[in-house]
Amino acid sequence: MDTTSGKTDTGNHTFKGKAALSVAAIAALTLTGCASVGGGADGKASGDSSAAGQDGGVVTVAETNKFSGANPGYTKTNLDINGHVAEMTREGFTTVDPEQKIHPNEGFGTYKKTSDDPLTVEYTLKDPQWSDGNKIDKADLMLWWSELSGYANDSSEDGKTGKDYFSIAGSTDILGSTEMPTFSEDGKTMTVTWGKQNADWEIAFDENYLMPAHVVAKKAGMSEDELLKVLENQKKGGSKSPQKQPDLEKIGKAWDTSFNFTSTPDDKDVLVANGPYTIDTVVENNSVTLKKNENYKGEHQGKLDEITLRTIGDATAQIQALRNGEVDIMQPNNVNKDTMDQVKQIENVNVQQGDQLAYDHVDLNFGSDTFKDKETREAFLKTIPRQQILDQLVKPVKEDAEVLNSQMFVSSQGDAYTKAVEKNDAKKLYGDVDIDGAKKLVDGKTPTVRILYNNGNPQRVDTFQLIKESAEKAGFKVEDLGDPNWSEKLSDGDYDASLYGWVSPGVGTEMLSQIFKTGGGGNYNKYSNADVDKLVDEARANLDESSRNDQIAEVDKHTFEDAYGLPLFQSVGYVATSDKIAGVDKYQPNQTGVFWNVSEWSRK
């Protein structure tokens, strides 16, 4: 379930924002190539991963995807690996533990709710600074708020008039009703007042969106003071009367584009960070290396000298690298019985296995000619062999795995998932493959369905082939748009269906706005339903979890009635760690994965 705004994908996307996984709770998602959630340690363990290590040293982690930028909050770089780098190079007011509980990060600053009506929160910086020595200050806070509130945005729902000034991967629903912030005289305390209640107020400021204002200003051709003045004087946006704000547009463009790089940039300004580590070098399509941030001021000082994320797309190759000592940690997106058995046979390796807060899914593009009518969408969904996909790809790893029957919740969420499935009719509508029913709906026509997916991910390739074979029995012509750079094409819309995964940050409800609301930052398939938009707004303002889950279940029901697409399965995952590494001892099922406590890693 693809960082603050929502979900992410590796072949997967991430939800951004932070989200607790009732998908209600799925805050924001990130794209991923695959995924899973869960629990305790498993496999062969020679040594105790929690044993004390020493400061210093180097750790290498295998990653499935290629690094593409230092701003994972930007729509086109909302990938899991970029989020993993951000986890090491960014921090904000909160952290999330493996139980998906939110904790204040007082080394960065504090936050305090001072009023319930209107909802008002004070945010106070302690004394954080950027890695180049610049203090995090009022300009940084104002830029952060401007991105996430969408205060000046005035684009229409169809996108034909007005504009959104920052192309964020998530939505602006958490801070969207807030007024222009006020500040203390020293600029260290920001007070934010909401126009309406929001269930996710505590995670409003996602660290993935905290970018250095002084660098953005330079890239926009202005000083930091000039940037601050532009942000303080920005006009409230409205789609009925769009207005041009050229200086704000320069800032937004700089935020969108300046931090996108696939090799070590000549301009070191774009490497500025405020977390325990900073990016040092990037080898295109190969690796990204981080070193300790010597100017770090927080409470999570890193112990290691250096961490390298090495791109190894194939899980078998990752296993061989782990066996040979070329990497110390792997958490593959592709999990099958063969790779799991291989990992467990490696001596001196600790394995943690569990279900990820993630799921694979097929989405139909409402903007394509093929799927503009509901009957054709229904027909195609009736052909998707979900049980066969599960049996061949997932059950060999997790015997009790089941077809996923909710777009909002995953199986491991218990009652919330069960109640949603009771309401949404997913089993009745698409429980079994129905080729005859599909043929009746297409009525002799032979629609072409172009499917976009990551063909560098073997599990996605196998899923695509099974869908193709089944759909063609009903008369569909299925075209292969598999592409290793699929994520860059996801927002362009030049396809009929997409196959990928969402991985969640584990806390919050931003996924609702990000993915299912009209115009959402992760609503790549142009889904729009006025009733869903209303339910999303109501759920995100609802402070009662039980009632909120009921509203989310209603959204779920609408997606199946509208033939939105189909969830396939909750992803299974594992982390394998050399016993020479200490600190990797709790499985984190959300999109942060193994990096959630990177500051505690060390070599024994």
Side-chain angles (χ1 to χ4, degrees):
M1 301 180 183
D2 261 339
T3 8
T4 286
S5 39
K7 296 182 178 174
T8 300
D9 184 287
T10 63
N12 285 352
H13 254 16
T14 357
F15 282 128
K16 291 291 186 189
K18 291 190 167 107
L21 200 80
S22 71
V23 162
I26 288 178
L29 299 173
T30 298
L31 296 169
T32 116
C34 17
S36 273
V37 182
D42 191 8
K44 184 175 293 187
S46 301
D48 179 4
S49 67
S50 63
Q54 300 177 349
D55 286 357
V58 177
V59 165
T60 300
V61 184
E63 282 279 341
T64 300
N65 290 312
K66 303 169 186 175
F67 177 79
S68 62
N71 182 1
Y74 173 52
T75 301
K76 293 189 176 181
T77 51
N78 173 226
L79 291 172
D80 55 357
I81 183 172
N82 300 336
H84 295 161
V85 171
E87 185 66 23
M88 296 183 274
T89 60
R90 293 280 185 273
E91 68 174 24
F93 289 103
T94 59
T95 62
V96 178
D97 69 19
E99 285 70 47
Q100 312 312 301
K101 294 178 181 177
I102 300 167
H103 300 274
N105 179 19
E106 295 186 356
F108 178 86
T110 58
Y111 58 95
K112 178 175 64 175
K113 183 164 66 171
T114 59
S115 171
D116 286 314
D117 188 16
L119 174 60
T120 307
V121 182
E122 286 184 355
Y123 299 87
T124 301
L125 297 171
K126 185 178 180 183
D127 193 27
Q129 66 180 26
W130 296 106
S131 54
D132 61 3
N134 277 274
K135 297 289 186 182
I136 294 179
D137 55 19
K138 182 178 181 180
D140 296 296
L141 294 177
M142 271 299 295
L143 179 60
W144 205 3
W145 172 82
S146 298
E147 303 154 20
L148 291 171
S149 68
Y151 185 80
N153 292 349
D154 52 23
S155 63
S156 59
E157 287 189 356
D158 60 12
K160 293 181 179 179
T161 60
K163 70 177 284 91
D164 290 345
Y165 287 88
F166 300 91
S167 301
I168 67 172
S171 75
T172 58
D173 277 20
I174 300 181
L175 288 166
S177 72
T178 58
E179 302 169 3
M180 181 72 69
T182 60
F183 284 83
S184 60
E185 188 173 344
D186 63 4
K188 295 182 69 172
T189 295
M190 174 177 66
T191 301
V192 178
T193 302
W194 274 256
K196 60 181 180 181
Q197 290 292 336
N198 193 290
D200 297 334
W201 68 268
E202 194 172 3
I203 54 168
F205 288 94
D206 176 2
E207 65 272 10
N208 285 290
Y209 293 90
L210 176 59
M211 303 303 288
H214 63 290
V215 176
V216 173
K218 184 178 179 180
K219 295 297 184 180
M222 60 184 74
S223 68
E224 185 175 356
D225 287 342
E226 288 171 333
L227 174 141
L228 177 58
K229 188 173 181 180
V230 171
L231 297 179
E232 289 178 323
N233 293 327
Q234 64 185 292
K235 300 170 185 175
K236 176 68 176 173
S239 59
K240 294 181 180 179
S241 55
Q243 50 198 322
K244 293 185 177 180
Q245 301 188 58
D247 287 336
L248 184 61
E249 189 170 350
K250 291 177 185 177
I251 293 171
K253 184 177 180 181
W255 187 89
D256 286 355
T257 62
S258 299
F259 302 90
N260 306 331
F261 52 89
T262 57
S263 59
T264 308
D266 294 331
D267 182 0
K268 304 308 179 187
D269 285 348
V270 299
L271 304 180
V272 169
N274 79 309
Y277 294 93
T278 61
I279 296 173
D280 182 66
T281 56
V282 181
V283 179
E284 187 163 16
N285 300 330
N286 181 276
S287 64
V288 53
T289 296
L290 299 93
K291 291 189 175 181
K292 188 181 293 186
N293 177 2
E294 299 299 339
N295 283 324
Y296 178 69
K297 291 287 188 179
E299 295 179 348
H300 302 103
Q301 182 71 52
K303 297 179 180 180
L304 296 166
D305 292 325
E306 188 175 297
I307 298 171
T308 293
L309 307 189
R310 182 178 160 195
T311 298
I312 305 175
D314 180 67
T316 301
Q318 288 190 14
I319 293 167
Q320 187 61 41
L322 181 66
R323 181 181 289 113
N324 294 342
E326 298 167 23
V327 302
D328 302 294
I329 301 172
M330 63 175 287
Q331 51 173 358
N333 290 323
N334 305 316
V335 181
N336 57 47
K337 188 176 187 301
D338 179 57
T339 59
M340 184 72 77
D341 289 344
Q342 288 184 54
V343 166
K344 291 181 179 180
Q345 289 170 7
I346 303 175
E347 294 187 2
N348 305 317
V349 166
N350 303 303
V351 180
Q352 299 166 357
Q353 182 178 349
D355 293 319
Q356 297 180 43
L357 293 183
Y359 66 98
D360 273 28
H361 55 95
V362 176
D363 294 349
L364 305 188
N365 187 353
F366 283 63
S368 80
D369 289 337
T370 297
F371 288 132
K372 61 187 177 183
D373 69 277
K374 183 179 176 181
E375 286 191 344
T376 307
R377 296 198 302 272
E378 289 179 337
F380 185 73
L381 296 183
K382 284 178 179 292
T383 71
I384 295 179
R386 297 195 295 160
Q387 188 65 51
Q388 185 182 7
I389 292 168
L390 185 83
D391 290 344
Q392 290 187 204
L393 304 182
V394 183
K395 280 203 168 186
V397 181
K398 184 176 172 62
E399 292 182 1
D400 61 348
E402 297 180 352
V403 167
L404 187 65
N405 280 305
S406 172
Q407 297 278 11
M408 305 293 136
F409 302 92
V410 289
S411 311
S412 62
Q413 291 179 274
D415 287 346
Y417 173 77
T418 300
K419 289 178 180 178
V421 173
E422 289 173 353
K423 179 177 288 189
N424 66 25
D425 287 335
K427 292 181 179 179
K428 177 182 177 181
L429 293 169
Y430 306 111
D432 298 305
V433 171
D434 183 3
I435 300 300
D436 289 338
K439 285 181 177 179
K440 289 179 182 178
L441 287 170
V442 296
D443 193 24
K445 297 190 293 290
T446 56
T448 296
V449 180
R450 300 165 302 149
I451 302 180
L452 177 69
Y453 67 99
N454 180 6
N455 62 2
N457 180 331
Q459 183 167 278
R460 296 279 153 71
V461 173
D462 291 345
T463 301
F464 167 79
Q465 289 296 336
L466 292 172
I467 292 172
K468 174 180 169 69
E469 291 168 10
S470 183
E472 290 182 343
K473 294 176 183 177
F476 286 96
K477 295 180 179 178
V478 178
E479 290 187 7
D480 187 340
L481 294 189
D483 191 321
N485 298 315
W486 66 278
S487 64
E488 297 173 9
K489 300 181 178 182
L490 194 59
S491 61
D492 296 338
D494 189 18
Y495 53 87
D496 304 304
S498 54
L499 167 64
Y500 61 103
W502 280 121
V503 54
S504 167
V507 294
T509 63
E510 181 153 355
M511 154 204 161
L512 295 172
S513 301
Q514 180 192 0
I515 300 173
F516 300 103
K517 190 175 179 181
T518 302
N523 187 347
Y524 301 114
N525 60 332
K526 310 301 181 189
Y527 177 64
S528 182
N529 180 316
D531 291 332
V532 167
D533 291 347
K534 182 173 182 291
L535 282 164
V536 166
D537 289 342
E538 291 172 349
R540 299 210 64 195
N542 192 342
L543 303 185
D544 180 79
E545 182 179 7
S546 177
S547 172
R548 185 169 66 244
N549 283 348
D550 288 343
Q551 291 167 326
I552 294 168
E554 285 292 335
V555 173
D556 205 19
K557 182 175 175 64
H558 278 294
T559 64
F560 287 99
E561 291 174 344
D562 294 338
Y564 170 94
L566 283 179
L568 301 177
F569 53 83
Q570 181 176 357
S571 304
V572 181
Y574 66 83
V575 174
T577 309
S578 164
D579 66 357
K580 296 177 182 178
I581 309 303
V584 184
D585 50 13
K586 287 187 179 179
Y587 185 84
Q588 171 60 280
N590 71 16
Q591 64 194 32
T592 304
V594 70
F595 297 96
W596 74 277
N597 69 336
V598 68
S599 64
E600 298 175 19
W601 296 2
S602 61
R603 295 200 73 92
K604 296 181 183 176

